[in-house]
Amino acid sequence: MYTFRLNLKFHLLKFININRSAQYFLFIVFELFVFYSNAQQLLTDTITTKEVEVTESKIPKYVLGSPITLIKVDSRKLKEFPGENYYAGLATQKGVGVITNGLFNKVLNLRGFSAGATWNEGMLELVDGMDINTPGMGFSFGNLTGTNDIDVDNVELIPGAASAIYGANAFNGLILTTTKDPFRYQGLTVQLKSGINYLDGKYHDPALFNDYQIRYAKAFKNKFAIKINLGYLNGTEWMKTIETDFDPNATDEIRGINNPGRDLANIYGDEIQQAIPIGTGGTLVNVSRTGWNNQNLSQLKTRNIKADGTIYYHLSPETEVSYNMRYRIFNTDFGEQSWCFRNFAVTYHKLELKNESYFIRAYHVKDHDGNSYDGAWVAQLMNPAWKSDSIWFNQYANAYNGQVTGVTGLNHQEARSYADQGMPQPGSEQFNKLFNEFKSKPIGQGGARNIDESSLAKVLGQYNFNKIIPWAQIIAGFELGWRKIFSEGTQEMDYPPPFTPIHDNNISGYVQVTKYLFHEKLNLTASLRADKYSQFDLHLTPRFAVAYQVKQYNFIRASVQSGTQNPDPYFLYGYSPEGDYQVLGGSKLTADHGGLPIRSFEFNSIQNYLDHANAYLLQYGQDSIAAAVELYKHLLKPSGFTYLQPQKLNMFELGYQTLLANKKIHFDINIYFTIYRNMLGATEVDVPSSGNPFDDDSINAAAYSFLNYDYKRISTGMNAKKNILSGGTEAGAKFNFYKSYFLSVNFTYQNENLNPDFELWVPLVHSPKYKSNVSLSNENVYKNVGFAVNWRWTDAVPQNVNDNNPHINNNLSAKSVIDAQLSYSLSKLKTVFRVGSSNLLNHYYLESANGPSIGGVYYFSIVYNVN
């Protein structure tokens, strides 16, 4: 048996592609803990309690003996986490990654390819069973649409696929937040938190932020209860300071601020480009207009208002009916994107009937865009409004060619300065007038405002057959969903007028059977879910999992899981038909409109063709265009576009969990391997003004169009045609080593291959290979004084070798961050004071390529609680 286990572990470690030294290290750690746990003579043979005392809280038996990896964090632990909100604290858990899009806008990732991307549509977030993802966008805004810190009872994290029960979007992981029951947690709770960021004034003047929360709950004779939550926060967003040059036509020698055709990250308006004849030979050179910095167009202010109201009624001691209404409105910027959400509102309504045997839940979620807009598109509209493109590019060419008195010829900087004369400066009356005009008009009507009036309705039910079928635990459930996508043509293709909403519905069902054998030491679980969405064929997601109790508090687990993720609405139906760089979704509806299946060319082949053809023209002159086309048109290749399909995965996981040292140590380790099929991503394809890639005459026409830069650059969703592999290990230990002192350590390793046969670049970027956290805490060191300190380290994210533009440096440096908090409790006043910091040393770092630079946050809070 030992030889079998040894061989199995070595094969698994080789499978996830780590070096021999790391294999031996993980093997030795695994064996030491197995040996030590088997040597514990103080432990008995069976578990008879529902909860086990361990480390800083009670670990439920269902967590300890779960056949899949499951992390549960209770409200007491959440309060100890240093950070702006409880989402920041969740990032310290084993295997959890975080991407900070704004001061309060954090996106979590449990597994998968999300590092460097600014959203995670493969993560399902449920609050009291209700999906908090926005229907129109298809992803979550994290804590902005979540619940108040003071109303969180516990959070359960399931890394990896949970689609077998929870459906298509539980792909990379699942976050289940349970709020406090008003029958158990009654009274008034008030939290007042204020703090500061930009303390050093490096990128911005020091800025204050505030976070105010109120919770009130009251129960009447254990029959009827009400709960009210209110929250308000405001502050200043982190600035985007990276200005990488994205110009696809630039060489490494000229790339950057001095590139005449520069397209700088976080500078908007320079996306407008033209090839103009300059110099004595009239050579065509790509030149871009001058743009404005992102903070001048986003204004950096964040705000969030939360309002909840819930009523509960017990029809019987076991059966409860409840109605919940939630309202969220917020301002935030979104990571490396140019999206500026202003007064974006989401309304939730939920009605639920439940008891121990069943639940029936119906809810409705509605988006309202408020005054949201695309900052990059605002700038692209402002530039030709203050000076037309034809005049600006003509002035640039004349100045460079030495035809303007007082301007040095053959100098790109001076030519740009001359053409920029009269450009509106941020804060000026002219700038504000143009900015307010274009951000207020909808896209398609001369402006850059995004309209989103999408909605989602769901009816779900589940029944537990335990009382009917005693020999196994069987649950079965269903889900009916109706999504209406409505943007009036500003985001999706509900276009042309009269605008017609896009309907995307589903019917789903699932069943799970759990059987305990050998005196409940062996847990066998099998699950199967079927989903039929109106846009896709029926797909099945099975899961099989097993857990075995080796000894008391010693469990091994293994599972084979599958997962499915549907493309989000923007990937499917995205539509921005204006400008030099457009977006078209990968569905048949949008792709056919743009001619992508029959007229699009592969991005890299175009760049290859232009490099060769322009070099030929430079040598032989502009009169040699026909010869250049004939020589190099064979380099142009079709894009290989296919309609977008759901992405799928199969994952194998092996884990071990135990309590050691008289239950003072909780240790958990797992190894997993994942195969992704049809991985979702985005790519650029280009469509010429004439021609297609499928016959000679059309290729000739297309080749001339590309040489004249007369083509559309289109970002579209596509599926990788090759499988993507990912594997890794996650290990964590929690140790109550002395009195009330607790030490937590966790480590994550993930490795993947990114080898699609075309250029995906969203969200296929590398994840950091290594992550670790070390936490030390004591909630009562001396006379009600407590502390918590956490060190988190994340490995560098390497250059994405599959980026459409290999010249762009989109890697992320490693980061080492210390968070800390001190607390003081006054029990007589029922008040807790906290002072703390996230990123205590204020070392600025990035969590997404070209995203905001994140510095230190320093805060003071008062929590007053009257039961």
Side-chain angles (χ1 to χ4, degrees), residues 184-296:
R184 294 179 56 205
Y185 300 93
Q186 297 190 48
L188 175 69
T189 304
V190 179
Q191 175 182 282
L192 306 175
K193 179 186 287 187
S194 292
I196 189 170
N197 60 336
Y198 295 110
L199 186 63
D200 58 0
K202 181 176 180 180
Y203 297 120
H204 191 283
D205 292 336
L208 297 176
F209 70 85
N210 301 290
D211 183 359
Y212 307 138
Q213 300 179 18
I214 299 174
R215 177 187 184 273
Y216 177 74
K218 175 66 175 177
F220 302 89
K221 297 182 179 180
N222 203 34
K223 190 73 173 178
F224 177 75
I226 60 171
K227 183 172 69 172
I228 298 172
N229 276 284
L230 299 173
Y232 174 80
L233 60 83
N234 64 3
T236 301
E237 297 279 33
W238 296 116
M239 285 180 57
K240 304 169 188 176
T241 61
I242 304 301
E243 296 184 0
T244 303
D245 185 1
F246 286 107
D247 178 19
N249 303 302
T251 62
D252 289 337
E253 290 74 24
I254 68 169
R255 184 173 299 280
I257 191 67
N258 294 321
N259 171 20
R262 68 198 187 201
D263 180 7
L264 302 178
N266 301 318
I267 301 294
Y268 305 144
D270 60 358
E271 299 86 357
I272 301 173
Q273 300 181 347
Q274 281 190 17
I276 60 177
I278 60 176
T280 56
T283 302
L284 290 176
V285 174
N286 201 43
V287 175
S288 65
R289 294 202 62 167
T290 305
W292 292 273
N293 197 288
N294 75 92
Q295 64 258 31
N296 302 131

Side-chain angles (χ1 to χ4, degrees), residues 433-701:
K433 179 181 178 181
L434 290 172
F435 174 66
N436 291 327
E437 175 186 352
F438 290 118
K439 77 170 185 176
S440 302
K441 293 181 181 178
I443 292 174
Q445 299 178 34
R449 180 186 158 201
N450 294 315
I451 295 175
D452 184 1
E453 297 294 334
S454 303
S455 62
L456 173 69
K458 284 194 175 184
V459 177
L460 309 93
Q462 179 178 289
Y463 189 82
N464 190 325
F465 291 87
N466 286 2
K467 294 181 179 179
I468 302 174
I469 305 174
W471 54 267
Q473 296 182 4
I474 301 176
I475 61 171
F478 72 92
E479 175 186 309
L480 304 175
W482 300 268
R483 186 191 298 267
K484 182 178 74 173
I485 301 166
F486 190 49
S487 72
E488 295 189 12
T490 63
Q491 295 183 84
E492 284 88 21
M493 194 174 228
D494 41 11
Y495 184 85
F499 301 109
T500 304
I502 300 170
H503 293 278
D504 197 355
N505 306 326
N506 75 285
I507 179 170
S508 308
Y510 62 89
V511 62
Q512 176 171 286
V513 180
T514 301
K515 178 64 176 177
Y516 287 90
L517 300 172
F518 305 118
H519 304 289
E520 298 193 351
K521 289 187 176 183
L522 179 64
N523 174 347
L524 301 175
T525 300
S527 312
L528 178 65
R529 180 177 174 114
D531 292 277
K532 176 63 180 77
Y533 286 82
S534 54
Q535 306 297 330
F536 305 111
D537 295 334
L538 176 74
H539 53 254
L540 305 176
T541 48
R543 177 176 69 188
F544 180 76
V546 57
Y548 181 68
Q549 181 183 341
V550 181
K551 284 180 175 287
Q552 189 181 22
Y553 313 128
N554 287 259
F555 292 84
I556 58 174
R557 63 183 182 273
S559 63
V560 179
Q561 306 185 50
S562 60
T564 302
Q565 179 191 336
N566 292 333
D568 67 44
Y570 200 62
F571 263 116
L572 280 171
Y573 311 112
Y575 182 59
S576 60
E578 303 178 35
D580 295 325
Y581 190 71
Q582 303 178 6
V583 172
L584 278 177
S587 68
K588 182 175 176 58
L589 173 70
T590 47
D592 286 355
H593 177 83
L596 301 191
I598 60 174
R599 296 197 56 226
S600 61
F601 287 77
E602 183 189 48
F603 173 87
N604 281 343
S605 76
I606 297 167
Q607 302 310 306
N608 191 24
Y609 164 74
L610 289 176
D611 288 345
H612 283 81
N614 282 325
Y616 186 89
L617 294 176
L618 186 62
Q619 181 176 0
Y620 296 105
Q622 294 297 313
D623 293 337
S624 304
I625 289 180
V629 167
E630 192 63 32
L631 280 171
Y632 300 113
K633 66 182 182 182
H634 70 278
L635 298 176
L636 294 171
K637 305 296 182 184
S639 66
F641 177 86
T642 56
Y643 299 124
L644 207 58
Q645 296 296 318
Q647 66 179 359
K648 299 182 179 183
L649 66 78
N650 294 104
M651 183 178 68
F652 171 75
E653 181 176 314
L654 179 66
Y656 174 72
Q657 191 168 188
T658 186
L659 305 182
L660 306 168
N662 199 24
K663 297 183 292 185
K664 289 184 177 293
I665 296 177
H666 173 220
F667 176 74
D668 188 8
I669 186 171
N670 59 273
I671 299 171
Y672 65 92
F673 178 76
T674 308
I675 302 173
Y676 294 90
R677 292 176 288 119
N678 294 335
M679 173 65 80
L680 290 171
T683 191
E684 179 178 323
V685 299
D686 294 339
V687 177
S689 59
S690 60
N692 67 64
F694 297 110
D695 62 75
D696 285 342
D697 291 339
S698 288
I699 290 177
N700 279 341

Side-chain angles (χ1 to χ4, degrees), residues 279-457:
T280 56
T283 302
L284 290 176
V285 174
N286 201 43
V287 175
S288 65
R289 294 202 62 167
T290 305
W292 292 273
N293 197 288
N294 75 92
Q295 64 258 31
N296 302 131
L297 297 158
S298 73
Q299 302 177 329
L300 295 180
K301 295 301 180 184
T302 183
R303 179 176 71 115
N304 185 204
I305 298 173
K306 300 175 183 176
D308 299 354
T310 313
I311 56 175
Y312 304 80
Y313 184 73
H314 283 169
L315 299 174
S316 69
E318 298 82 20
T319 305
E320 176 184 277
V321 62
S322 63
Y323 168 73
N324 170 247
M325 189 282 290
R326 299 170 182 262
Y327 179 73
R328 303 291 185 263
I329 185 169
F330 54 84
N331 295 346
T332 190
D333 298 332
F334 217 79
E336 60 184 293
Q337 308 300 321
S338 59
W339 301 335
C340 301
F341 293 89
R342 298 294 178 265
N343 297 319
F344 193 97
V346 190
T347 306
Y348 305 85
H349 297 273
K350 184 187 72 167
L351 182 65
E352 184 173 28
L353 175 68
K354 67 177 181 179
N355 66 16
E356 292 184 355
S357 297
Y358 66 85
F359 72 77
I360 299 176
R361 180 184 304 139
Y363 62 83
H364 182 268
V365 186
K366 177 71 165 60
D367 290 346
H368 178 64
D369 58 272
N371 310 110
S372 302
Y373 61 92
D374 185 331
W377 189 230
V378 168
Q380 291 180 49
L381 294 169
M382 288 175 62
N383 252 332
W386 74 265
K387 182 181 287 187
S388 71
D389 290 342
S390 60
I391 293 175
W392 191 94
F393 284 110
N394 186 57
Q395 289 179 344
Y396 189 107
N398 290 338
Y400 185 86
N401 291 329
Q403 300 172 5
V404 177
T405 303
V407 178
T408 304
L410 304 180
N411 187 301
H412 284 293
Q413 285 74 29
E414 291 201 28
R416 181 174 295 278
S417 297
Y418 176 75
D420 280 344
Q421 289 181 7
M423 183 175 181
Q425 297 304 303
S428 68
E429 182 179 349
Q430 183 186 13
F431 180 92
N432 292 338
K433 179 181 178 181
L434 290 172
F435 174 66
N436 291 327
E437 175 186 352
F438 290 118
K439 77 170 185 176
S440 302
K441 293 181 181 178
I443 292 174
Q445 299 178 34
R449 180 186 158 201
N450 294 315
I451 295 175
D452 184 1
E453 297 294 334
S454 303
S455 62
L456 173 69

